[in-house]
């Protein structure tokens, strides 16, 4: 006689990715209440997580999220939630942060500014006081000056914004704002009064697809002029920028380069736009701040095909680039500029595809040899104090296809610019906006976006003190980032601009943080032998985070940071 297995009657809550929401259970989008409709549209666009901190003005929407396919990730601060959503967007194509009104909205502002500056498609949802509780003499908590103050602030930091106050237009406003986020790869703002989340559409409403198109005549003329310029060139260079990441154009860029055998360089913000072991890849171009052999090779070119690149001061080595305007083809998502001619209404993808279809010349140009010691084989020298150069040489030796480098600013960024990234879009940094404290929260966003990627976080001690406690979120979620704290006793970039006691910070025992959080592995690194042992252990630790407190002498910095400091010193 076969014994039947006893069936447990205990109810087990399904993971958020498996929970049906009301709309997944069979409701059409044209009958969904406003809050559910917003969730539906975010899900359709690829979001699977939402970052934030609860507050009373947003609790009703949080309850909807809790019962939806989107997973709520609670962060330590709204600023950290914004950075996490930004990094998530850079991996998945859209990120979402949801905060309460006033104290939450204003706390996330700096992260939204970073996302706007660096073209990261982040949706910011802010709860707001209910429409029925607002009055001319009502002084509600978290409100500053007026009920319009917060939306006015975000209007200047986003590509589109909406306050969902009118059921007649609210559903269409959601579509309009989300379309702008995806089209322009910049943050948007949605304000959600707490008493409208159950509002139903006053008329039948379904999402409408909008597909932008290039002006065919402008496209044809721009491609013809670009082709003529390339045919006159004998030493072209392809400069890949941040929009190659954002618009997922990596394969097209490689196709174009391989078809004509054009060498490829990238900007700092565009680093890892293509696989950096590609035989046509030269390195990161940073003008006077970069590796001399790369700078010379790029500036000796007689045609610069800059794709998805914005010529900012950080991208161009504090404007030390030596480009002749008459030899630049600059194509971005906003316009195409060839020499001194400007073309509007052209999509970057269409411009790239059209160029790939042309009969391009074949170039034969020898690439410069890498002379930086970061590429030399690593072997620990016993009892030798660790230096920046040797630290990054070791890091370069351990990178693999499943590791994403997240660099905060300072030497975490500048020394990392020469690391070899094995796959595309596996280097993340606020390289233009340069906001300290980005990297640790970004690691949370990266692992939420793609659990197969393991973050290697490079962060200075000053930046870590701003947002390092976000490692508690990593513990709660079971994530395993490797965090390298470059501990040199203060704000090192500022030291090279202007010395002063204001650059000093308290020396934390960073490696003891696991004792506080009740999880994680901590290592104090003073020598090359310490580094070898710590990284070996960290790579094997897949259960929790690993933190390396790497003690670097205050006067030891990368050549790039030293050059940057001297350059900025003249301005200050």
């Amino acid at each position: 006689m076969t014994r039947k297995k006893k069936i447990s009657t205990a109810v087990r809550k399904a993971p958020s990715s498996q929970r049906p929401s009301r709309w997944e259970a069979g409701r059409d989008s044209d009958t969904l209440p406003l809050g559910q409709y917003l969730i539906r549209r975010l899900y359709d666009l690829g979001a699977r997580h939402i970052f934030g901190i609860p507050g009373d003005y947003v609790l009703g929407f949080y309850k909807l999220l809790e019962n939806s396919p989107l997973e709520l990730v609670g962060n330590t601060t709204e600023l950290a939630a914004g950075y996490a959503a930004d990094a998530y967007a850079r991996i998945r194509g859209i990120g979402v942060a949801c905060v309460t009104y006033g104290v939450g909205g204003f706390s996330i502002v700096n992260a939204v500014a970073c996302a706007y500056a660096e073209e990261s498609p982040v949706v910011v949802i802010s709860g707001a006081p209910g429409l029925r509780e607002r009055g001319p003499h009502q002084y509600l908590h978290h409100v500053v000056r007026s009920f319009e103050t917060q939306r006015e602030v975000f209007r200047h930091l986003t590509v589109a914004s909406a306050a969902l106050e009118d059921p007649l237009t609210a559903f269409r406003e959601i579509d309009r704002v989300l379309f702008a986020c995806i089209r322009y790869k910049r943050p948007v703002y949605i304000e959600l009064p707490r008493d409208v989340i159950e509002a139903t559409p006053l008329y039948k409403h379904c999402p409408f697809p909008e597909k932008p198109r290039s002006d065919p005549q402008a496209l044809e003329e721009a491609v013809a002029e670009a082709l003529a310029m390339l045919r006159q060139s004998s030493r072209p260079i392809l400069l890949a920028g941040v929009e190659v990441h954002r618009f997922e154009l990596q394969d097209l860029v490689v196709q174009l380069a391989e078809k004509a055998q054009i060498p490829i360089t990238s900007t700092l913000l565009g680093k890892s736009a293509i696989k950096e072991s590609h035989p046509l890849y030269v390195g990161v171009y940073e003008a006077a701040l970069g590796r001399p052999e790369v700078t010379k090779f790029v500036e000796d070119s007689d045609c610069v095909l800059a794709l998805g690149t914005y010529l900012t001061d950080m991208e161009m080595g504090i404007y030390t680039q030596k480009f002749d305007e008459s030899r630049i083809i600059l194509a971005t998502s906003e316009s195409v500029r060839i020499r001194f001619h400007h073309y509007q209404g052209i999509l970057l993808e269409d411009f790239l595809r059209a160029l790939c279809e042309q009969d391009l010349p074949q170039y034969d140009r020898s690439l410069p040899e890498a002379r930086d010691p970061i590429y030399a084989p690593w072997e620990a020298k016993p009892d030798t104090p660790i230096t920046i150069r040797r630290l990054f040489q070791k890091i370069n030796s351990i990178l693999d296809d499943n590791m994403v480098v997240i660099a905060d600013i300072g030497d975490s960024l500048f020394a990392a610019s020469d690391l070899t990234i094995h796959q595309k879009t596996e280097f993340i940094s606020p390289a233009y906006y340069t906001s300290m404290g980005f990297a640790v929260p970004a690691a949370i966003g990266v692992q939420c976006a793609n659990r197969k990627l393991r973050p290697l976080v490079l962060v200075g001690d000053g930046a870590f003190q701003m947002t390092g406690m976000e490692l508690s979120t990593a513990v709660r979620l079971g994530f395993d980032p490797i965090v390298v704290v470059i501990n040199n006793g203060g704000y090192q970039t500022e030291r090279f601009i202007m010395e002063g006691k204001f650059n000093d910070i308290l020396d934390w025992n960073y490696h003891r943080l696991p004792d506080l959080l009740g999880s994680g592995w901590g290592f104090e690194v003073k020598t090359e032998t310490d580094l070898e042992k710590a990284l070996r252990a960290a790579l094997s630790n897949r259960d929790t985070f690993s933190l390396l407190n790497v003690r670097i002498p205050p006067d030891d910095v990368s050549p790039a940071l030293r050059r940057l400091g001297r350059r900025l010193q003249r301005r200050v």
Side-chain angles (χ1 to χ4, degrees), residues 476-488:
R476 191 157 44 83
L477 298 176
F479 289 166
D480 60 346
I482 299 173
V483 180
V484 178
V485 179
I486 301 174
N487 183 359
N488 50 23

Side-chain angles (χ1 to χ4, degrees), residues 449-511:
N450 185 349
R451 194 62 181 87
K452 294 179 180 179
L453 289 176
R454 191 174 193 190
L456 176 64
V457 178
L458 305 172
V459 57
D461 48 348
F464 186 87
Q465 289 193 12
M466 293 181 176
T467 56
M469 292 307 295
E470 192 62 18
L471 284 178
S472 65
T473 306
V475 171
R476 191 157 44 83
L477 298 176
F479 289 166
D480 60 346
I482 299 173
V483 180
V484 178
V485 179
I486 301 174
N487 183 359
N488 50 23
Y491 304 125
Q492 205 62 10
T493 303
E494 280 71 21
R495 288 192 197 283
F496 276 85
I497 302 173
M498 184 175 291
E499 182 58 272
K501 292 184 178 179
F502 41 77
N503 292 317
D504 298 337
I505 62 174
L506 182 66
D507 183 16
W508 291 7
N509 289 322
Y510 302 95
H511 55 288

